[in-house]
Amino acid sequence: MSSTAVSERGTAPRPAAFITGAAGGIGRAVALEFARTHNLVVTDRDPAGLLSTQHQASLLGAQTVHRSADVTDENALRELLAEARTVFGPVTNVVACAGIAPGGTVETTSLDDWHRVLAVNLTGTFVTARVSISSLRETRGSFIAIASDAGTFGAQDLAAYVASKHGVVGLVKSLALDFGAEGIRSNAICPGFVETPMMRQIFDESPAGTEEYYRNAVPTGRFAKPGEIAKIARHLTESNYANGITYAVDGGSTAGYYRAPHTS
Ligand SMILES: NC(=O)c1ccc[n+]([C@@H]2O[C@H](COP(=O)([O-])OP(=O)(O)OC[C@H]3O[C@@H](n4cnc5c(N)ncnc54)[C@H](O)[C@@H]3O)[C@@H](O)[C@H]2O)c1
């Protein structure tokens, strides 16, 4: 059962940003970045996390319309945007953040897990774009998908995730070509590891030493903070000529082979 709610403040003359996966991690950071200037339309499968995002956004002056739903549920997302439209008008910025990253090779990933990863990461991004296009056409707005460095680069033991994120990068390029002439700009952000619950889960399920191995592969010597990805989302939103970009934000880890100075 999903629920929709509107926070209790007067209508403000702000544009509206629609963010999926907004209950935590990168999605919440993106929501709070936009809360400084926009009203919010947020969704996630985690209702408690959404309420917390709403509360934090209200402290930044944003009104929020929120609904807990699975990102693959087209009807739920359409209803959310329809309700938000009555309060804010059509959304101007969309950021698709919802995602999952269970590990596994082709041999160790079950068919059910494969379908689920493709459904949430790739179909979820498709559904988010599909329900948003008519609003973005009206506002000549921006669509951003949080893909991954795994959208341009392979990663061991993450076969379904890598495949889904390569799909997201391809989908965003199609959006850029199909809707650019109507003023809708579509771009993909490809972060390396970002300090969120997803990253923690990946390393907790990996062999000892995996986290250190990946940190040593980042020339800047550390993983990203969620707010650093949110700043790139704002930057792309405000960059009127950016369309069809695959924007790596990974501390240089996909720039080439790298050996940290202190490693042998
Ligand atoms: N953390 C990283 O290292 C990293 C790196 C590159 C890309 N990404 C991508 O960034 C995005 C955000 O990841 P994160 O690190 O913030 O992860 P996270 O697990 O911290 O947050 C993901 C959010 O998506 C929500 N979600 C998951 N499945 C959903 C579903 N079916 N319907 C609705 N909501 C759902 C979760 O409830 C959660 O709030 C993902 O697409 C992820 O693949 C993350």
Side-chain angles (χ1 to χ4, degrees):
M1 181 80 173
S2 62
S3 64
T4 308
V6 184
S7 63
E8 293 173 7
R9 298 181 71 144
T11 305
R14 289 166 160 231
F18 173 39
I19 297 136
T20 72
I26 295 169
R28 174 178 287 162
V30 169
L32 297 181
E33 173 62 36
F34 279 102
R36 298 190 292 114
T37 49
H38 288 58
N39 289 317
L40 300 181
V41 186
V42 291
T43 185
D44 198 290
R45 64 182 175 185
D46 168 9
L50 271 185
L51 280 176
S52 175
T53 299
Q54 180 200 336
H55 173 67
Q56 292 177 54
S58 71
L59 301 178
L60 296 167
Q63 261 191 283
T64 301
V65 175
H66 62 93
R67 181 181 183 125
S68 57
D70 194 288
V71 73
T72 62
D73 185 342
E74 180 176 356
N75 288 337
L77 267 53
R78 274 198 195 285
E79 287 169 15
L80 170 63
L81 282 184
E83 177 175 0
R85 169 184 278 272
T86 66
V87 187
F88 303 140
V91 295
T92 300
N93 298 303
V94 178
V95 188
C97 301
I100 54 174
T105 66
V106 164
E107 193 171 36
T108 60
T109 300
S110 70
L111 191 55
D112 283 349
D113 282 350
W114 168 265
H115 284 313
R116 185 67 189 148
V117 174
L118 270 288
V120 175
N121 295 357
L122 182 53
T123 308
T125 303
F126 166 81
V127 168
T128 303
R130 189 168 151 75
V131 301
S132 305
I133 286 296
S134 61
S135 296
L136 293 177
R137 185 176 282 126
E138 287 180 63
T139 57
R140 298 179 72 81
S142 151
F143 179 86
I144 293 172
I146 306 297
S148 172
D149 58 0
T152 59
F153 207 71
Q156 279 175 271
D157 208 32
L158 277 169
Y161 184 78
V162 168
S164 72
K165 294 298 185 175
H166 275 67
V168 169
V169 167
L171 178 63
V172 166
K173 289 178 180 172
S174 290
L175 288 166
L177 298 174
D178 289 339
F179 299 104
E182 297 182 83
I184 303 173
R185 294 176 300 101
S186 302
N187 296 291
I189 296 176
C190 293
F193 277 109
V194 185
E195 291 175 358
T196 68
M198 176 184 284
M199 186 193 88
R200 201 60 276 140
Q201 184 194 336
I202 290 172
F203 288 144
D204 286 351
E205 292 173 359
S206 299
T210 303
E211 181 169 354
E212 188 186 5
Y213 170 83
Y214 278 110
R215 190 179 291 107
N216 284 337
V218 186
T220 50
R222 66 174 179 84
F223 300 132
K225 307 278 186 205
E228 292 173 311
I229 309 306
K231 287 216 171 354
I232 300 294
R234 177 179 287 281
H235 168 65
L236 280 177
T237 295
E238 293 173 349
S239 301
N240 289 336
Y241 203 59
N243 188 37
I245 285 180
T246 306
Y247 199 135
V249 191
D250 57 16
S253 54
T254 58
Y257 297 110
Y258 177 72
R259 183 168 55 81
H262 60 281
T263 56
S264 55

